Structure formats: C-alpha cells, structure tokens
Amino acid sequence: MPLTPVLTVRYAEERSWTIETYERTEGYSAWRTALGMTPDELVTLVKDSGLRGRGGAGFPTGMKWSFIPQPKPGETPTGPAAKPKYLVVNADEGEPGTCKDLPLMMADPHGLVEGVAIASYAIRCHYAVIYVRGEAVHAHRRLQAAVAEAYAAGHLGRDVHGSGFDLDVVVHAGAGAYICGEETALLDSLEGRRGQPRLKPPFPAVAGLYGAPTVVNNVETLASVPFVVRGGSAWFKEFGPEKSPGPKIYSLSGRVVHPGQYEAPMGTTMRELLAMAGGVRPGHELKFWTPGGSSTPYFTPEHLDVPLDFDSVAAAGSMLGTTALMVFDETDSIVEATLRFTEFYAHESCGKCTPCREGTYWLVQILERLVAGHGTARDLDLLTDTCDNILGRSFCALGDGATSCIASSLKYFRDDYVALLPADEQGRLGRTLKLEP
Ligand code: NAI
Ligand code: SF4
C-alpha cells in the first residue's frame, strides 16, 4: 500500500498556503495534465479510482459528475443539458467534532482550487463557487488570496493555459447555519434565500443552482482529485478497501492525549488511530466514541477494530460520516453528552418540517429532565417513541441524524439512563404502559 500523508503532505512546508510553495511541490501539474485530457476521460478516471464523497454520505464522485446532463454531439441541446453547469464546493463544515476541511483550506488552499479547476473542466462548468462557513473568516480570506494567486498565474480565468477553457471561481461566505451544509439548503442560501432543504429528487445534478445542473462536492473530495490525476486510479485504489479507497483525514478530539487531524488510508481502525494520537488520556478508559460526528450512532470499545470505511462502519451499525472521532472516557456521562448534541440539533433545526422542529425540542425536554434527576420510567419509552417519530419522517438528514446519539446510547448504555432515575421510578421500570401509536 502507498504511504500517507498524501492530502496533508504540504502541511509541514514553510508558508504552505502560497502558490510558490504549491507549484514547487508539483502543484497545478495535475491541472495541466487534465487540460490535455477530454472531460469524459477525466470522469472515467475519477470513477475508476473509486473516490467517494468525503462530506459524509460517501456517494461515488465520478458517478455524480457523470449525472450532469451534457449536450449530445451534433444535436441542439434542450432541457437541463442546454443550461449552464455549476460546481459548488460545500465548505460549510459544521458537523460537531469535524475539523478536517478547515485545516485543509488553511494549510493547502491551492489543493482545493486545483481540484475545483479539474472538476469544473470534467463537468464542463465555467463558474464555480466555494461556499465557506460564515464563522471561518480566516479560511474565507485565505481562499480568496489563493484564488487571486491562481488567476494571476493563469490557472483560472479566460482561455486557461491556451486550452480555450474559461473558468471563474468565487469564494462565498455563508452565515453560520448548520443546515446550510445540507446541499440544497446551501444552494438556496447561495441564491439569497433562507437556507432550507429542497425536495429531492430532482437532485442538484439535474436542477441545482438557479435550477441548472450542479455538482456539489466536499472540500476533501475535491482536494483528492489532483492526486487521482497525478497518481492514477490504480495507485489511488491501493489505499484501503476496494469499495472505499483513498487517503483520508480523521479528526480525533476529546479524551485523547494528542487531539488533531490524522491522515491514514481508508479502513484504518480506531485502535490504530488512537495509537497515533497517543491513546486515551493516561489512567482512563475509553467508554464510547463517534465514528463520524454527532449524527452517527455511537460506537463502544468493542468497535475498536472496525475498519473505518463506509461499508465496514455501516455493517457494524453506524456511519463513517465525516470521520470525526470524538472520544469519551469513563468520567463522561453519556446522557449529558447526548443532551448536548440534542440541544445542538434543536437549535439548528431549520423548522421546515414538524417531526424535526417539534421532536428535537421535546427530546431536549426529556433529556434535561433525566439529567436533572427528575425523569420517570416512562421517559425512556418516550425518548424511543419520539425518535421513532422523527427517524424516516423528517425532510432532511438533520432530523434522522438527531436521533442517532439517543437511539445508540439507549442501545449500549441503557443502565446509565436508569441510574439517573429516582429510586421509586426505577421500581416502575418494565411496568410502564406502552405508548399509544
Ligand atoms: P445523500 O445520500 O442524500 O446524498 C449524497 C450525495 O449524492 C448528494 O450530493 C446527492 O445529491 C447525491 N445523490 C444521491 N443520490 C443521487 C441520485 N440518484 N442522483 C444524483 N445525485 C444523487 O446524503 P446527504 O443528505 O447529501 O448527506 C448526508 C451526510 O452528510 C450524512 O451522512 C452526514 O454524515 C453528512 N453531514 C456532513 C456534515 C459536514 O459538516 N460535513 C454536516 C452534517 C451532515
Ligand atoms: Fe429542517 Fe429539520 Fe426538517 Fe431538515 S429535518 S428540513 S433541518 S426541520
């Protein structure tokens, strides 16, 4: 297997964010190579590499690019094929515990810009937008500086490197709403509307920004693309499992000796990553952890050897999500941690649909009651019932994600909830009436 670091290889370079450093370390060579290929060849290359979206869902990147309707040779295009194509970078990283895209944009902004250029050419787009989280003013400025440098060096703009291809890239700051990381809410926000999810289908690939075909890709996904072009699909596939290959940035936070970003091949286990991060803080034991941020069901020490790739994590009952590994030890209350996450979802719920808007509010009320020691035996059923009425009934993934921490904490640590009940309520457990459907 080839060695990492790949994506983070420039992090240690002096002034790694400048175009001088980038070009000195093979930067923009993939862009020149890509311009010598046809867009279809590029799509095939990325498809063959097996690169899957790093924003959380793991959708195959090349396949997403291939969904963009293109005019057929010799025919006058109609419908979506006749419209302009857009590339939108989802740089609105907001999942609790996730901190992989921001460091990437700070340390290696040109890696993203080069990925944007190659992806735009592959989908025949001449206008790309990088939508950065509103609070990340420093990343916004750094990207703007990188885009300006890329224009000045002729990597962007009119007739790039004499290829006849035009490309404009704009960096746009969001306003700090978690829901604007949902791709269609992001598009609404870009169009100047309140960011709320749209009904899918149609997917953005057919009707996205201004109703035109749009690819929405995550920062880490696009930053991987120049390496695919330079190294080839076979090289990329050598990292990790066949169905989710590639180098990956894992964010470790919480009760670890050295929290931070660790790059390793897809399929690396938590046990291996913990070893890289110095382990759980001395004198303490791992109690529970998230494989992919707060929207993914908790894992426990029994999952330490699950390969962290999309399929293996799903088979073990959770989701790889954003590879945000939040580590908790025996001093942490799982019910309190779950309450904090649920408060976050209740606050960030956009209010469009009732199960999420009302349900997350009620979940917070129940969890607060339990944490305060005023819970009832019925509250445990009520938590499950409320989750059941949110999961699969919400308009977007935020509602479903909000139930993950509650359902999985009850699955693995029900006793911790019971321990918070007053003694007389503990005696009522198992004798509570089943809730009406
Ligand atoms: P999804 O599975 O609905 O879609 C994934 C991507 O594939 C989208 O771009 C979608 O447009 C595309 N797609 C799916 N089916 C398609 C089809 N038939 N035709 C064309 N395109 C298609 O997942 P979603 O809702 O976009 O993302 C959910 C994930 O986001 C969660 O797994 C979570 O881990 C992650 N997430 C990440 C956050 C972050 O800060 N990076 C924040 C919150 C959630
Ligand atoms: Fe809005 Fe929540 Fe419904 Fe998503 S699930 S549309 S965030 S209210």
XYZ file of all heavy atoms in Angstrom, residues 345-413:
521
model
N -28.950 20.048 17.811
C -29.892 19.791 16.709
C -31.169 20.613 16.865
O -31.710 21.115 15.876
C -30.212 18.297 16.605
C -29.027 17.499 16.143
C -28.397 16.589 16.983
C -28.494 17.691 14.874
C -27.287 15.886 16.572
C -27.372 16.999 14.453
C -26.771 16.099 15.310
O -25.652 15.428 14.900
N -31.649 20.745 18.111
C -32.872 21.535 18.322
C -32.609 22.989 17.912
O -33.457 23.640 17.297
C -33.301 21.449 19.784
N -31.423 23.478 18.231
C -31.078 24.857 17.893
C -30.914 25.037 16.385
O -31.303 26.057 15.817
C -29.778 25.239 18.612
C -29.346 26.649 18.363
N -28.368 26.988 17.449
C -29.777 27.810 18.880
C -28.223 28.299 17.433
N -29.064 28.825 18.289
N -30.355 24.036 15.731
C -30.040 24.165 14.296
C -31.167 23.682 13.381
O -31.088 23.873 12.166
C -28.747 23.413 13.962
C -27.499 23.978 14.646
C -27.125 25.379 14.159
O -27.580 25.783 13.074
O -26.387 26.071 14.890
N -32.194 23.043 13.957
C -33.327 22.611 13.135
C -33.870 23.826 12.385
O -34.116 24.874 12.991
C -34.413 22.024 14.044
O -35.597 21.847 13.306
N -34.054 23.679 11.068
C -34.462 24.859 10.300
C -35.951 25.148 10.431
O -36.417 26.193 10.004
C -34.081 24.682 8.832
S -35.252 23.674 7.906
N -36.704 24.208 11.005
C -38.115 24.460 11.273
C -39.044 24.118 10.127
O -40.256 24.301 10.228
N -38.504 23.599 9.024
C -39.352 23.357 7.848
C -40.345 22.218 8.090
O -41.482 22.272 7.625
C -38.471 23.045 6.642
C -39.250 22.775 5.368
C -38.340 22.853 4.160
C -39.118 22.579 2.890
N -38.484 23.173 1.707
N -39.905 21.156 8.786
C -40.834 20.033 8.951
C -41.099 19.754 10.439
O -40.221 19.934 11.295
C -40.321 18.786 8.238
S -38.833 18.092 8.921
N -42.310 19.302 10.714
C -42.770 19.162 12.099
C -42.007 18.109 12.903
O -41.634 18.373 14.042
C -44.288 18.854 12.107
O -44.925 19.816 11.276
C -44.854 18.928 13.505
N -41.752 16.903 12.358
C -41.086 15.895 13.205
C -39.775 16.402 13.790
O -39.495 16.193 14.969
C -40.858 14.723 12.238
C -41.874 14.902 11.170
C -42.064 16.380 11.019
N -38.981 17.085 12.981
C -37.679 17.568 13.457
C -37.856 18.817 14.320
O -37.300 18.912 15.413
C -36.773 17.836 12.255
S -35.279 18.753 12.628
N -38.625 19.764 13.846
C -38.782 21.030 14.581
C -39.329 20.773 15.978
O -38.776 21.234 16.976
C -39.719 21.966 13.806
C -39.883 23.342 14.429
C -40.960 24.149 13.712
N -42.262 23.512 13.825
C -43.014 23.138 12.785
N -42.588 23.323 11.557
N -44.193 22.559 12.987
N -40.436 20.023 16.076
C -41.067 19.772 17.381
C -40.346 18.652 18.127
O -40.165 18.716 19.339
C -42.538 19.392 17.186
C -43.355 20.416 16.421
C -43.410 21.758 17.114
O -43.454 21.797 18.354
O -43.373 22.782 16.402
N -39.961 17.612 17.375
C -39.377 16.433 18.020
C -38.070 16.734 18.727
O -37.848 16.296 19.864
N -37.189 17.515 18.090
C -35.898 17.801 18.745
C -36.131 18.644 20.000
O -35.444 18.470 21.011
C -34.915 18.519 17.784
O -35.559 19.648 17.208
C -34.441 17.589 16.678
N -37.124 19.530 19.957
C -37.449 20.333 21.153
C -37.851 19.411 22.296
O -37.365 19.538 23.427
C -38.580 21.321 20.815
C -39.162 22.010 22.031
C -38.548 23.133 22.565
C -40.318 21.514 22.643
C -39.078 23.751 23.686
C -40.847 22.116 23.762
C -40.225 23.239 24.283
O -40.746 23.846 25.405
N -38.729 18.439 21.997
C -39.212 17.547 23.058
C -38.123 16.594 23.539
O -38.065 16.258 24.729
C -40.458 16.777 22.591
C -41.651 17.696 22.577
C -42.311 18.165 21.494
C -42.267 18.305 23.719
N -43.304 19.038 21.871
C -43.304 19.134 23.226
C -42.048 18.246 25.091
C -44.115 19.898 24.087
C -42.845 18.997 25.933
C -43.876 19.803 25.435
N -37.238 16.188 22.637
C -36.123 15.334 23.071
C -35.259 16.060 24.100
O -34.830 15.480 25.105
C -35.262 14.922 21.868
C -35.889 13.915 20.900
C -34.995 13.720 19.676
C -36.128 12.564 21.593
N -35.027 17.355 23.857
C -34.228 18.140 24.821
C -34.948 18.194 26.170
O -34.331 18.009 27.230
C -33.960 19.569 24.276
C -33.368 20.462 25.364
C -33.026 19.518 23.074
N -36.270 18.406 26.146
C -37.018 18.489 27.419
C -36.867 17.192 28.218
O -36.625 17.213 29.423
C -38.519 18.726 27.173
C -38.868 19.920 26.311
C -38.292 21.213 26.848
O -38.507 21.567 28.000
N -37.524 21.884 26.021
N -36.997 16.071 27.524
C -36.940 14.769 28.228
C -35.529 14.534 28.777
O -35.348 14.139 29.931
C -37.348 13.616 27.280
C -38.738 13.849 26.702
C -37.294 12.278 28.013
C -39.070 12.957 25.492
N -34.528 14.804 27.937
C -33.140 14.562 28.372
C -32.768 15.490 29.528
O -32.085 15.080 30.477
C -32.176 14.745 27.195
C -32.211 13.620 26.165
C -31.495 14.043 24.873
C -31.543 12.356 26.727
N -33.224 16.734 29.472
C -32.938 17.674 30.581
C -33.528 17.148 31.885
O -32.900 17.211 32.937
C -33.534 19.053 30.268
C -32.612 19.907 29.418
C -33.180 21.302 29.107
O -34.387 21.529 29.355
O -32.428 22.120 28.610
N -34.752 16.621 31.757
C -35.432 16.079 32.943
C -34.614 14.913 33.511
O -34.404 14.820 34.718
C -36.803 15.586 32.485
C -37.852 15.527 33.545
C -39.230 15.652 32.967
N -39.610 14.628 31.987
C -40.324 14.881 30.896
N -40.689 16.116 30.616
N -40.653 13.918 30.069
N -34.154 14.051 32.634
C -33.384 12.880 33.094
C -32.064 13.307 33.748
O -31.708 12.825 34.825
C -33.098 11.950 31.908
C -34.301 11.128 31.429
C -34.069 10.605 30.018
C -34.564 9.963 32.383
N -31.362 14.235 33.088
C -30.059 14.675 33.622
C -30.247 15.357 34.980
O -29.421 15.204 35.888
C -29.358 15.604 32.607
C -28.186 16.344 33.238
C -28.881 14.793 31.405
N -31.357 16.078 35.137
C -31.615 16.771 36.415
C -32.068 15.805 37.503
O -32.264 16.205 38.657
C -32.666 17.862 36.203
N -32.261 14.527 37.153
C -32.691 13.545 38.160
C -34.182 13.557 38.414
O -34.660 13.009 39.399
N -34.949 14.195 37.507
C -36.414 14.254 37.677
C -37.136 13.378 36.662
O -38.332 13.538 36.443
C -36.911 15.701 37.501
C -36.285 16.670 38.434
N -35.951 17.946 38.072
C -35.894 16.529 39.719
C -35.377 18.560 39.090
N -35.334 17.712 40.101
N -36.415 12.470 36.035
C -37.040 11.664 34.984
C -37.994 10.619 35.546
O -37.996 10.332 36.747
N -38.794 10.073 34.664
C -39.697 8.986 35.046
C -39.364 7.762 34.209
O -38.729 7.881 33.148
C -41.174 9.367 34.785
O -41.332 9.527 33.366
C -41.558 10.655 35.504
N -39.821 6.610 34.676
C -39.572 5.371 33.927
C -40.159 5.482 32.523
O -39.601 4.963 31.547
C -40.182 4.190 34.671
N -41.268 6.196 32.422
C -41.933 6.358 31.128
C -41.075 7.162 30.141
O -41.203 7.017 28.922
C -43.266 7.061 31.374
C -44.177 7.185 30.184
C -45.507 7.787 30.631
N -46.405 7.977 29.506
C -46.419 9.070 28.749
N -45.585 10.053 28.994
N -47.279 9.169 27.745
N -40.175 8.015 30.682
C -39.358 8.865 29.805
C -38.475 8.050 28.861
O -38.166 8.491 27.755
C -38.477 9.795 30.640
C -39.253 11.009 31.138
O -40.311 11.310 30.545
O -38.813 11.634 32.116
N -38.054 6.865 29.313
C -37.178 6.072 28.439
C -37.957 5.605 27.208
O -37.451 5.642 26.083
C -36.582 4.884 29.194
C -35.752 5.229 30.442
C -34.947 4.025 30.911
C -34.806 6.390 30.187
N -39.215 5.190 27.429
C -40.056 4.812 26.281
C -40.378 6.036 25.429
O -40.434 5.958 24.199
C -41.373 4.184 26.768
C -41.140 2.820 27.391
O -40.101 2.208 27.080
O -41.988 2.388 28.192
N -40.596 7.144 26.127
C -40.960 8.368 25.412
C -39.818 8.835 24.499
O -40.047 9.293 23.374
C -41.294 9.463 26.441
C -42.069 10.682 25.963
C -43.361 10.292 25.276
C -42.374 11.606 27.159
N -38.585 8.688 24.989
C -37.421 9.033 24.154
C -37.411 8.196 22.885
O -37.269 8.715 21.772
C -36.121 8.741 24.914
C -35.486 9.830 25.770
C -34.185 9.314 26.367
C -35.208 11.092 24.957
N -37.570 6.876 23.071
C -37.557 5.963 21.920
C -38.693 6.297 20.968
O -38.513 6.335 19.741
C -37.690 4.510 22.403
O -36.710 4.297 23.406
C -37.492 3.512 21.286
N -39.863 6.534 21.540
C -41.039 6.807 20.710
C -40.864 8.108 19.913
O -41.191 8.164 18.725
C -42.269 6.905 21.631
C -43.536 7.022 20.830
O -43.830 6.082 20.060
O -44.232 8.051 20.952
N -40.311 9.121 20.564
C -40.111 10.401 19.867
C -39.091 10.215 18.741
O -39.280 10.724 17.630
C -39.630 11.492 20.862
O -40.497 11.488 21.988
C -39.651 12.873 20.230
N -38.015 9.480 19.031
C -37.017 9.206 17.969
C -37.676 8.468 16.807
O -37.436 8.798 15.638
C -35.864 8.368 18.516
S -34.747 9.302 19.549
N -38.514 7.469 17.122
C -39.185 6.701 16.060
C -40.039 7.604 15.177
O -40.239 7.328 13.992
C -40.086 5.615 16.657
C -39.271 4.461 17.214
O -38.054 4.413 16.930
O -39.850 3.624 17.941
N -40.574 8.678 15.785
C -41.432 9.573 15.013
C -40.658 10.656 14.259
O -41.244 11.418 13.498
C -42.494 10.203 15.919
C -43.649 9.236 16.141
O -44.395 8.938 15.213
N -43.739 8.688 17.341
N -39.364 10.727 14.512
C -38.515 11.663 13.746
C -37.801 10.903 12.626
O -37.799 11.324 11.469
C -37.466 12.340 14.670
C -38.159 13.191 15.746
C -36.517 13.202 13.851
C -37.204 13.769 16.789
N -37.235 9.752 12.996
C -36.437 8.964 12.047
C -37.278 8.514 10.849
O -38.333 7.890 11.027
C -35.857 7.746 12.762
C -34.866 6.899 11.966
C -33.590 7.673 11.679
C -34.524 5.627 12.729
N -36.808 8.859 9.658
C -37.520 8.446 8.445
C -38.752 9.280 8.148
O -39.415 9.065 7.133
N -39.081 10.224 9.034
C -40.260 11.068 8.796
C -39.869 12.533 8.625
O -40.727 13.397 8.523
C -41.239 10.939 9.966
C -41.875 9.578 10.082
C -42.747 9.501 11.341
N -43.645 8.363 11.310
C -43.303 7.126 11.674
N -42.077 6.887 12.092
N -44.175 6.136 11.623
N -38.577 12.796 8.673
C -38.109 14.178 8.541
C -37.765 14.468 7.095
O -37.517 13.571 6.303
C -36.876 14.406 9.411
O -37.219 14.197 10.750
N -37.711 15.758 6.799
C -37.499 16.184 5.417
C -36.059 15.997 4.966
O -35.790 15.732 3.797
C -37.910 17.664 5.314
C -38.109 18.149 3.920
C -39.282 17.865 3.241
C -37.130 18.883 3.277
C -39.473 18.309 1.947
C -37.306 19.333 1.987
C -38.481 19.048 1.316
N -35.109 16.155 5.896
C -33.699 16.004 5.502
C -32.947 15.196 6.552
O -33.504 14.786 7.571
C -33.038 17.367 5.269
S -32.484 18.195 6.761
N -31.638 15.025 6.311
C -30.832 14.142 7.167
C -30.625 14.700 8.568
O -30.228 13.957 9.470
C -29.485 13.898 6.493
N -30.885 15.999 8.783
C -30.660 16.552 10.126
C -31.562 15.857 11.147
O -31.125 15.480 12.235
C -30.903 18.066 10.151
C -30.509 18.788 11.446
C -30.029 20.210 11.175
C -31.613 18.820 12.504
N -32.831 15.671 10.788
C -33.763 15.030 11.724
C -33.329 13.610 12.048
O -33.248 13.214 13.217
N -33.004 12.840 11.025
C -32.551 11.457 11.238
C -31.289 11.445 12.105
O -31.167 10.655 13.044
C -32.232 10.782 9.897
C -33.488 10.513 9.079
O -34.597 10.725 9.610
O -33.355 10.112 7.911
N -30.358 12.334 11.768
C -29.085 12.383 12.491
C -29.286 12.697 13.970
O -28.545 12.198 14.821
N -30.283 13.513 14.266
C -30.520 13.905 15.663
C -30.903 12.712 16.533
O -30.716 12.738 17.753
C -31.609 14.974 15.709
N -31.452 11.679 15.931
C -31.901 10.527 16.734
C -30.774 9.513 16.974
O -30.886 8.663 17.844
C -33.058 9.788 16.032
O -32.567 9.187 14.831
C -34.209 10.728 15.703
N -29.695 9.612 16.185
C -28.644 8.580 16.246
C -28.034 8.457 17.632
O -27.854 7.350 18.150
C -27.518 8.913 15.257
O -27.974 8.819 13.958
N -27.694 9.597 18.225
C -26.992 9.530 19.515
C -27.929 8.983 20.603
O -27.484 8.244 21.491
C -26.400 10.891 19.883
S -27.566 12.252 19.923
N -29.210 9.317 20.514
C -30.144 8.856 21.548
C -30.389 7.352 21.405
O -30.262 6.584 22.375
C -31.475 9.638 21.466
C -31.205 11.115 21.733
C -32.501 9.084 22.451
C -32.382 12.022 21.556
N -30.713 6.940 20.188
C -31.019 5.522 19.984
C -29.821 4.643 20.340
O -29.961 3.609 21.005
C -31.445 5.300 18.537
N -28.611 5.059 19.914
C -27.446 4.202 20.173
C -27.018 4.258 21.633
O -26.529 3.265 22.180
C -26.287 4.568 19.247
O -25.930 5.919 19.392
N -27.225 5.398 22.304
C -26.856 5.444 23.731
C -27.804 4.559 24.533
O -27.379 3.882 25.484
C -26.859 6.883 24.256
O -28.127 7.476 24.100
N -29.070 4.536 24.137
C -30.017 3.640 24.836
C -29.685 2.176 24.547
O -29.843 1.304 25.402
C -31.446 3.943 24.382
C -32.119 5.133 25.081
C -33.361 5.568 24.326
C -32.465 4.793 26.532
N -29.210 1.913 23.339
C -28.874 0.533 22.965
C -27.699 0.014 23.799
O -27.731 -1.098 24.318
C -28.531 0.506 21.466
C -28.058 -0.830 20.943
C -27.827 -0.718 19.433
C -27.074 -1.914 18.886
N -26.680 -1.708 17.489
N -26.646 0.834 23.921
C -25.430 0.343 24.586
C -25.351 0.693 26.072
O -24.654 0.028 26.825
C -24.180 0.916 23.901
C -24.010 0.477 22.459
C -23.998 1.394 21.424
C -23.860 -0.874 22.150
C -23.833 0.987 20.102
C -23.692 -1.293 20.829
C -23.683 -0.349 19.817
O -23.524 -0.759 18.514
N -26.000 1.788 26.481
C -25.815 2.266 27.861
C -27.151 2.582 28.540
O -27.272 3.583 29.235
C -24.918 3.524 27.858
C -23.524 3.270 27.354
C -23.178 3.577 26.044
C -22.557 2.714 28.181
C -21.897 3.338 25.565
C -21.259 2.480 27.711
C -20.938 2.788 26.406
